[in-house]
Amino acid sequence: MRMFTIIVILLLGMIITAFPDKAFATDTYVFDNPVTEIRYKALIKELRCPKCQNQNLADSNAPIAKDLRREVFQLLQEGKADKEIVDFMVARYGEFVLYRPKVSPLTYVLWFGPLVLLLIGIVVLVLIVRKKPTIDRSAKLSSQQKSQLDQILKDK
């Protein structure tokens, strides 16, 4: 009986970790109109959870994400514009909350780093290909080398 209990607990744990979005309650907000609901969904998909590395507010079940979703809902109910809400979140949590941060001196590496690395890779590849030794096909065999080659070929 004890083994059965352990197996059931392990199976439930596997189910919860396999489907985490089904294991937690989701937020339910009532919107005045469908446009506000669309704006809400767009904003929580565009804002990143401060605790999670690669999840937006819509996907995260972290307590801070739930608080921020509630905050976005309240700001929308107050009639704030999307830009005002995003600016509020950036002022409070920094540029990290944006999935697409603004181009500024602080984010140059983020925006232009991959391009620079690609260009460096191309330059290195070109240099390696150019330095590759070429085979001199014009070299002639001496008579002694020709006779040795003939002997080797006859022995086979």
Side-chain angles (χ1 to χ4, degrees):
M1 188 65 169
R2 184 174 180 195
M3 186 62 126
F4 177 75
T5 307
I6 292 172
I7 291 173
V8 168
I9 290 172
L10 286 174
L11 286 173
L12 285 174
M14 288 173 33
I15 290 170
I16 288 173
T17 56
F19 304 103
D21 57 331
K22 307 295 183 214
F24 301 103
T26 57
D27 302 325
T28 55
Y29 296 115
V30 178
F31 294 92
D32 297 337
N33 57 45
V35 174
T36 306
E37 185 175 0
I38 292 169
R39 288 177 54 211
Y40 171 79
K41 288 179 181 178
L43 282 168
I44 64 171
K45 286 186 179 191
E46 188 62 33
L47 295 170
R48 184 192 321 251
C49 173
K51 182 178 179 185
C52 307
Q53 288 294 318
N54 261 343
Q55 285 185 320
N56 57 26
L57 293 180
D59 296 335
S60 176
N61 283 318
I64 186 78
K66 290 179 183 180
D67 291 342
L68 291 177
R69 286 192 297 264
R70 186 181 66 246
E71 186 74 32
V72 169
F73 176 75
Q74 289 173 350
L75 291 170
L76 283 169
Q77 295 304 311
E78 292 173 10
K80 302 282 185 188
D82 291 358
K83 183 169 178 7
E84 290 176 309
I85 295 171
V86 170
D87 290 344
F88 172 78
M89 294 294 180
V90 169
R92 195 168 190 192
Y93 298 101
E95 295 261 340
F96 179 78
V97 297
L98 298 176
Y99 260 117
R100 289 179 279 160
K102 299 172 181 112
V103 179
S104 69
L106 294 174
T107 59
Y108 284 162
V109 173
L110 175 68
W111 284 104
F112 304 116
L115 180 63
V116 169
L117 289 175
L118 179 67
L119 291 175
I120 290 172
I122 290 172
V123 168
V124 168
L125 182 66
V126 167
L127 290 175
I128 288 173
V129 168
R130 290 177 99 195
K131 286 187 176 183
K132 188 174 181 179
T134 58
I135 299 172
D136 185 17
R137 301 213 182 260
S138 64
K140 300 284 183 181
L141 294 177
S142 67
S143 60
Q144 182 184 5
Q145 289 172 332
K146 283 182 185 180
S147 64
Q148 286 176 344
L149 179 63
D150 289 338
Q151 184 63 35
I152 290 172
L153 291 173
K154 283 181 187 176
D155 290 341
K156 284 201 164 198

